[in-house]
Amino acid sequence: MRNFSKVAALAALAMLAVSAPAMAQSLDQTINEGFANATGWFVNLIFSPFPGTTFPWIVMWLVIAATVFTLYFGFIQFRAFPHSISLVKGDYSDPNDAGEVSHFQALATALSGTVGLGNIAGVAVAVGIGGPGATFWMILAGLMGMASKFTECTLGVKYRNEYDDGTVSGGPMYYMTKGFAERGLPAGKFMAVLFSIFCILGALGGGNMFQANQAHAQISNVVGDYPGWITGLVFAGIVFAVIVGGLKSIAKVTEKVVPIMGVLYVLTALVILIMNYNMIGWAFGEIFVGAFTGAGVAGGMVGALIQGFKRAAFSNEAGVGSAAIAHSAVRTKEPITEGFVSLLEPFIDTVVICTMTALVIIITGQLVSDPNTGLYLLDEGASTIQTVDGNKGVALTSAAFSSAIPFFKYILAIAVILFAFSTMISWSYYGLKAWTFLFGEGQGKELAFKIIFCIFVVIGASASLGPVIDFSDAAIFAMAVVNIVALYFLMPVVKGELDSYLSRLKSGEIKKFH
Amino acid sequence: MSHKIVVGYDGSDSAKAALAFATDLAKAQGGSLVVAHVLEWSPYSFLTPNELEERHKRRGEELERAEAAILAPAVEGLKESGLEIETALKYGGIAATLGEIAKDRGADQVVIGRNGEPGLTSRVFGSVAISLAQAAPVPVTIVP
């Protein structure tokens, strides 16, 4: 496996070196075609539809999982919501633990890994294909996904490894091996290995290529078109400086600016909504009607549903397992408390931020509809809805915001770059955790992964959106396939923790410190 | 009644002046000292995944370093005074945490040094001395 990776890395490097003198656009094309050919089979496998339908089995898989967890834990995402907020505020934190990782910090770090292009570009893709109705399914998926997140993050903390030097490692790999062994279930190790492989692919796909791709789209949208590999090289250089060179200052600045950008994004969206307050009712009407009738959208209602669920899962990563890695460093005696805190993540990410993006796109009239029938007009090929300037992905969101506040596209460009960057840093960490789980720790081994990661930044920025988004989705959903199987087997453990915690909370054994 | 004085101490010159003042006071009143050092920390700050992973380890290192570089030399310097000395080492906002230490240890006053000239930063965000004077549960003495 390690040798294979080295060969892959060398091949990618050689590809770059050979094509560099050629015309810039043809380099992008070479990378694009090579990439699409190499990943097509994997994408087809993950997104293959149920026989006789167009409905991808993977979407059903996520929907069923979120429903099962929601019912099994008795709508925990609504019951525990107020308690989750008190936990984040630190009401239940022991003052003597000050200086350790707080619930707020674990949540903020996990959020900066998920709040990113999924919220800005992903939503635009969903609404561009599935119409306004996709928003309804996206919100529903976000609400249900809270239960999946709750389950995986509780397990992530419960079965994490704490080493003698005080560092911790956690995530699905650990609950698969330790949790399965504890319950006498077979194949835990096998699943952990499978998950780790998919996690590495997910880190290179959605956590890297998609980010680089859309960051490039955004920059060229502002400054004019130029070859993607240039953006790729610059980004790769900065990522390299941070993850290999240990340049902490850049990461630190990003970690501080990203939350500010997130708040600014939501506030701007709110301002645009207030400016068009008389259309909010209409927009929700479009969302509800579109959700159940598919009003002239490619693929009808099912198309809207598929897009909504796909983009929600891609954005909030509920059930994917990545958050379990980020949340496992928190200092707590009760693993379940991190589960409570983590369920806020899909809420903030999807129910709040993604919905804002969708509303702005709908309200600013980016989607072209037939003035006579009110139905949306489709592009040639009938795969996407026509937009005012033919924008898709991040360019569509940018056009929507700029139509209300012209200079916002520059702020959005900066936000996109920072979001993309912070997501890359987070996923390089998740990928590295999976990598070291497979190959063991060691400087040489870790360096190999980091270099591969940087090479994929260049590939992602050069390839076109279609193959990149297909591969990114496929890799992230492949993680969910393995992770959710493990969650089904381990959910009684979470149930035990939950019942015990709630009864102690009720009896007053667990008390507030503040 | 025995007097207990909390001294906010970070090893700076003004902190040394505060400690000297508190020592004289304790001697005169027949009281004891709590040498307190607070490591500035907010549970609402933002960290990278790597920092999260290493936080517990780093916290241990930071505590050790503060103990060895700041508190231990201060206590050593006070040996000859014959006073009863306690130490306190905590994470948190400096002013609020010094107030909490005074309450927890049953101290009846807090002595801190004043840090430099009032600059723009302290005008905008307030200074430790002013916040402490506003919020402390016991009388506060600020030593220039």
Side-chain angles (χ1 to χ4, degrees):
Chain A
M1 183 69 203
R2 197 182 152 202
N3 283 333
F4 167 77
S5 319
K6 274 187 177 163
V7 171
L10 281 175
L13 266 179
M15 196 162 78
L16 283 176
V18 169
S19 345
M23 286 288 288
Q25 286 303 338
S26 77
L27 171 62
D28 278 10
Q29 264 167 21
T30 314
I31 291 176
N32 197 24
E33 278 164 25
F35 182 73
N37 289 337
T39 57
W41 65 272
F42 179 58
V43 173
N44 290 337
L45 181 70
I46 295 291
F47 289 114
S48 56
F50 285 116
T53 67
T54 53
F55 202 92
W57 67 275
I58 186 72
V59 174
M60 189 52 93
W61 174 255
L62 288 167
V63 177
I64 291 174
T67 313
V68 167
F69 299 132
T70 300
L71 296 176
Y72 185 71
F73 294 113
F75 295 90
I76 190 70
Q77 59 267 60
F78 305 116
R79 281 201 292 150
F81 199 83
H83 186 62
S84 303
I85 307 247
S86 335
L87 284 168
V88 176
K89 277 165 61 193
D91 292 351
Y92 292 88
S93 309
D94 186 341
N96 289 322
D97 282 343
E100 301 279 8
V101 175
S102 66
H103 284 303
F104 177 90
Q105 284 163 332
L107 177 68
T109 303
L111 262 177
S112 79
T114 64
V115 174
L117 289 166
N119 305 71
I120 301 175
V123 175
V125 172
V127 177
I129 299 174
T135 315
F136 175 86
W137 300 109
M138 199 175 65
I139 295 173
L140 188 66
L143 289 172
M144 309 264 277
M146 292 164 79
S148 312
K149 197 79 114 178
F150 163 79
T151 316
E152 63 190 1
C153 289
T154 303
L155 291 169
V157 175
K158 183 166 171 70
Y159 292 109
R160 65 185 168 186
N161 272 2
E162 294 184 58
Y163 302 106
D164 293 337
D165 69 354
T167 56
V168 286
S169 270
M173 312 72 98
Y174 296 95
Y175 55 73
M176 283 164 188
T177 43
K178 290 161 81 175
F180 273 49
E182 190 184 283
R183 294 181 63 78
L185 296 164
K189 180 83 186 170
F190 169 75
M191 287 179 60
V193 168
L194 206 58
F195 175 84
S196 298
I197 294 169
F198 291 143
C199 182
I200 291 167
L201 293 177
L204 297 176
N208 178 339
M209 297 177 66
F210 176 69
Q211 310 294 328
N213 182 281
Q214 290 292 285
H216 171 68
Q218 177 61 277
I219 298 171
S220 52
N221 186 28
V222 173
V223 304
D225 202 18
Y226 69 99
W229 59 269
I230 298 177
T231 313
L233 279 181
V234 173
F235 258 76
I238 303 173
V239 171
F240 187 86
V242 172
I243 64 175
V244 181
L247 201 58
K248 286 197 176 140
S249 49
I250 295 181
K252 269 192 183 315
V253 170
T254 317
E255 289 301 318
K256 287 182 179 60
V257 180
V258 161
I260 299 172
M261 280 292 180
V263 172
L264 186 69
Y265 183 79
V266 172
L267 287 181
T268 311
L270 274 177
V271 167
I272 295 176
L273 296 185
I274 292 167
M275 280 161 59
N276 299 285
Y277 70 95
N278 54 343
M279 290 176 72
I280 295 177
W282 168 81
F284 274 105
E286 288 289 291
I287 289 172
F288 279 106
V289 172
F292 297 102
T293 63
V297 156
M301 172 185 156
V302 176
L305 186 146
I306 293 172
Q307 281 305 320
F309 272 99
K310 256 171 97 168
R311 301 269 59 90
F314 186 74
S315 174
N316 66 40
E317 296 166 16
V320 167
S322 52
I325 303 177
H327 279 280
S328 59
V330 72
R331 200 73 196 163
T332 178
K333 294 170 193 79
E334 305 285 343
I336 200 91
T337 56
E338 200 51 29
F340 288 136
V341 168
S342 70
L343 62 78
L344 296 173
E345 217 184 298
F347 184 82
I348 299 171
D349 181 278
T350 306
V351 180
V352 177
I353 305 183
C354 285
T355 306
M356 290 289 170
T357 307
L359 282 174
V360 170
I361 293 175
I362 298 165
I363 280 182
T364 57
Q366 295 299 312
L367 306 174
V368 181
S369 56
D370 187 323
N372 299 320
T373 60
L375 295 179
Y376 289 100
L377 295 172
L378 298 183
D379 272 337
E380 286 164 51
S383 60
T384 56
I385 297 173
Q386 276 185 28
T387 54
V388 174
D389 295 313
N391 293 312
K392 45 182 182 174
V394 71
L396 178 58
T397 311
S398 184
F401 275 82
S402 311
S403 71
I405 303 173
F407 64 85
F408 192 74
K409 73 173 179 187
Y410 301 107
I411 298 175
L412 190 68
I414 297 169
V416 162
I417 293 165
L418 285 167
F419 284 155
F421 187 71
S422 77
T423 306
M424 281 183 195
I425 299 294
S426 297
W427 272 94
S428 75
Y429 177 81
Y430 303 154
L432 185 64
K433 285 281 128 186
W435 183 269
T436 54
F437 181 83
L438 287 179
F439 305 118
E441 287 171 16
Q443 281 201 319
K445 294 170 187 168
E446 293 180 17
L447 185 65
F449 172 77
K450 289 171 178 173
I451 290 174
I452 295 170
F453 192 84
C454 290
I455 292 169
F456 271 82
V457 176
V458 183
I459 303 178
S462 309
S464 64
L465 179 62
V468 166
I469 208 169
D470 286 346
F471 172 71
S472 301
D473 285 354
I476 288 212
F477 290 144
M479 289 168 71
V481 173
V482 190
N483 187 43
I484 286 172
V485 171
L487 295 183
Y488 284 145
F489 281 107
L490 295 175
M491 64 186 188
V493 177
V494 181
K495 183 88 166 172
E497 294 271 336
L498 177 65
D499 292 345
S500 147
Y501 182 84
L502 288 182
S503 68
R504 279 177 296 144
L505 191 66
K506 206 173 169 190
S507 74
E509 194 185 324
I510 293 168
K511 19 179 214 299
K512 283 192 178 189
F513 283 95
H514 296 284
Chain B
M1 153 173 185
S2 79
H3 295 281
K4 193 183 261 188
I5 306 169
V6 170
V7 190
Y9 187 78
D10 63 0
S12 68
D13 287 341
S14 68
K16 281 177 183 154
L19 187 60
F21 178 83
T23 310
D24 291 344
L25 203 63
K27 273 183 189 164
Q29 297 177 336
S32 64
L33 288 183
V34 181
V35 183
H37 181 63
V38 179
L39 296 149
E40 182 80 59
W41 171 257
S42 163
Y44 306 111
S45 57
F46 298 97
L47 304 175
T48 62
N50 243 325
E51 286 174 310
L52 289 191
E53 175 184 322
E54 293 175 349
R55 186 62 219 153
H56 184 59
K57 178 181 164 191
R58 295 268 173 265
R59 181 179 186 263
E61 291 168 359
E62 286 163 12
L63 289 173
E64 253 172 52
R65 210 181 310 139
E67 181 69 44
I70 296 171
L71 291 179
V75 172
E76 184 65 30
L78 291 170
K79 241 183 184 170
E80 288 170 10
S81 68
L83 290 169
E84 192 186 318
I85 312 285
E86 297 169 38
T87 58
L89 183 52
K90 295 220 165 203
Y91 278 90
I94 296 176
T97 310
L98 283 176
E100 274 165 27
I101 293 170
K103 214 162 96 186
D104 291 349
R105 304 290 176 99
D108 45 23
Q109 67 166 304
V110 178
V111 176
I112 54 162
R114 190 179 69 196
N115 261 337
E117 299 297 311
L120 183 64
T121 328
S122 58
R123 254 168 225 260
V124 177
F125 298 106
S127 67
V128 171
I130 289 171
S131 325
L132 190 63
Q134 282 175 334
V138 292
V140 177
T141 307
I142 299 163
V143 180

